[in-house]
Amino acid sequence: MEGNSLSTPAIQVTITDTPGGNLNLNATTTNTEQRISSPDNDDENQNLIQKQKRAKTSVVWSELKEVVLPNGTKKAECIHCKVKLCINVTGSTTQFNRHLSWCLRRKTFMRQQHISFLSADKDVPTTILPALSGKFDMSKMRELITHWVLMHEHPFTVVVEEGLNNMMKYGIPEWTPVSHHTCKKDCIKVYESEKAKLKTLLKTMTKISLTTDLWNSGNQKMEYMTGIVIADGIFKCLMGWGIENKVYTISVDNALSNDVAIKVLTENFEVSGKLLCGGKLFHVRCCAHILNLIVQDGLHQIRHIIDDIYESVLYINSSESRLKVFSEIVQQLKLPYRKLILHSNARWNSAYEMLATTIKCKKVFPRVKERDINYHNNPSDEDWEKVEKVCEVLKVFSGSTKLISGSDYLTSNLFLKEVCVVYVE
């Protein structure tokens, strides 16, 4: 037996006549080969058939690999996210292309790939992160710079600074400097584009509630800002956005000029006849401002103490050497050191924050007075006791004010509960 052949013996008989009348019988055997089918032979034939299958030519197979599951099923596995996909009998790759188009890990991988751009002097190429298309686009860079300037409120002249351009030129040899005039024009274009998007969104709205406020800087006089002027400015702004007929309510502070402005706006909006309940719900009082008035009235009782603490913090923070002495005393007393916060007259919350931080260092101020003869605003122990009691009350007001002053969520369903918390506590 050799290979897949099976040998079978054959007998050949020869009869000869010999002298004497005897017959001589000679028998010889020969081997004949008979080829038959076997399991091994079937496997070989099957392998020959498989080798004749068409090779995978689709580009998707560069990011997919064929795997065999424990049950013998063949799947295509994504090399990025390891998701296993079914392989169609027809050999179609549509489902593979669809998967690669939305595979997040593949997108991240493509962004992280590096591309080399030859520098201007044809020396060693500089490696930078490419754009999604894999090509450097200066117009896209200008757009990103514009958003960077607007996001962080940089001056337009930041784009002409030598350090910035040196850094960009080193990282991107194709970088072209941008003038501050070009940056200004690009910012205006972005503003107009975003404004158009917002106008399109506002067209889909049926009712809009507004919140407005007005303040002045320390070196500016605002006597001319009467209620009528405020009302005209608000109405002009609403017409510019095309929402003058969609205003539902407006929330303002409890100032006399605001009351006049609301009265004038109510008369203007009554012409369209779209004010709810004849305008009775149009004016919404600012709850946070009401809490502010309550707190300011209470703080007035200890105004002289707050002024002493304010002057103490201002005196220490205004000198690096005094701040260093203050820090050393804090370390000697093993107190948790926190930067002293200075009170701002525009926000009552800052008064609470100033008192809450300084009260933790009340033992430090007497020692500062011992070391500095020019320090004269050291609060007494009785003053600190009053501050502790006031801080317990202000803590409740501060939490409620921060909650109902939020701008990223609805507050109309929160203020009543918070007012009740303030009343109970």
Side-chain angles (χ1 to χ4, degrees), residues 183-215:
C183 182
K184 179 181 178 181
K185 293 179 181 179
D186 291 342
C187 290
I188 294 176
K189 289 180 181 179
V190 171
Y191 167 77
E192 295 295 340
S193 175
E194 296 299 324
K195 183 178 180 180
K197 293 178 182 178
L198 185 55
K199 276 189 173 182
T200 303
L201 178 62
L202 291 176
K203 289 180 180 179
T204 62
M205 306 297 174
T206 56
K207 295 180 181 179
I208 298 176
S209 296
L210 302 177
T211 300
T212 181
D213 196 3
L214 182 68
W215 62 93

Side-chain angles (χ1 to χ4, degrees), residues 69-249:
L69 301 182
N71 60 2
T73 306
K74 293 184 178 180
K75 297 278 188 177
E77 183 181 81
C78 176
I79 64 174
H80 305 290
C81 62
K82 306 303 180 183
V83 171
K84 296 177 177 58
L85 307 171
C86 294
I87 300 178
N88 293 339
V89 179
T90 59
S92 173
T93 59
T94 303
Q95 73 277 18
F96 303 149
N97 284 312
R98 187 185 305 113
H99 170 78
L100 294 176
S101 64
W102 59 258
C103 180
L104 297 179
R105 290 186 177 273
R106 178 178 181 268
K107 292 180 179 180
T108 303
F109 173 78
M110 297 299 293
R111 291 192 185 101
Q112 292 176 346
Q113 295 304 298
H114 287 71
I115 187 170
S116 296
F117 293 97
L118 293 177
S119 57
D121 53 3
K122 305 300 181 181
D123 291 337
V124 180
T126 304
T127 302
I128 66 170
L129 291 175
L132 293 179
S133 60
K135 298 180 180 179
F136 174 75
D137 188 354
M138 188 60 200
S139 61
K140 183 63 178 179
M141 289 296 298
R142 280 177 53 183
E143 180 182 352
L144 294 174
I145 290 174
T146 302
H147 285 279
W148 168 62
V149 171
L150 294 173
M151 183 185 302
H152 301 286
E153 299 182 357
H154 290 306
F156 298 135
T157 54
V158 71
V159 297
V160 298
E161 291 182 356
E162 183 179 0
L164 175 66
N165 284 280
N166 288 341
M167 177 183 65
M168 298 301 293
K169 189 67 177 178
Y170 179 81
I172 311 175
E174 286 77 9
W175 166 260
T176 303
V178 180
S179 68
H180 66 281
H181 295 292
T182 301
C183 182
K184 179 181 178 181
K185 293 179 181 179
D186 291 342
C187 290
I188 294 176
K189 289 180 181 179
V190 171
Y191 167 77
E192 295 295 340
S193 175
E194 296 299 324
K195 183 178 180 180
K197 293 178 182 178
L198 185 55
K199 276 189 173 182
T200 303
L201 178 62
L202 291 176
K203 289 180 180 179
T204 62
M205 306 297 174
T206 56
K207 295 180 181 179
I208 298 176
S209 296
L210 302 177
T211 300
T212 181
D213 196 3
L214 182 68
W215 62 93
N216 64 304
S217 58
N219 58 350
Q220 189 176 14
K221 295 183 179 180
M222 304 291 288
E223 286 83 0
Y224 66 93
M225 294 300 291
T226 62
I228 297 177
V229 175
I230 295 174
D232 291 342
I234 294 176
F235 194 80
K236 182 179 179 180
C237 181
L238 296 177
M239 291 185 63
W241 288 97
I243 58 175
E244 66 275 8
N245 295 325
K246 299 181 179 183
V247 178
Y248 181 60
T249 62

Side-chain angles (χ1 to χ4, degrees), residues 309 313 326 329-331 333-341 352-367 379 384-385 387-388 391 395:
I309 295 178
V313 174
F326 185 88
I329 298 175
V330 170
Q331 293 179 0
L333 298 177
K334 297 182 179 180
L335 298 175
Y337 176 72
R338 292 185 63 183
K339 184 177 180 180
L340 297 177
I341 300 175
Y352 163 70
E353 293 170 356
M354 180 185 69
L355 297 176
T357 53
T358 54
I359 199 173
K360 297 178 180 179
C361 302
K362 62 181 181 179
K363 296 181 180 179
V364 180
F365 292 97
R367 288 170 172 77
W384 286 118
E385 291 178 2
V387 171
E388 288 181 355
C391 284
K395 183 177 181 180

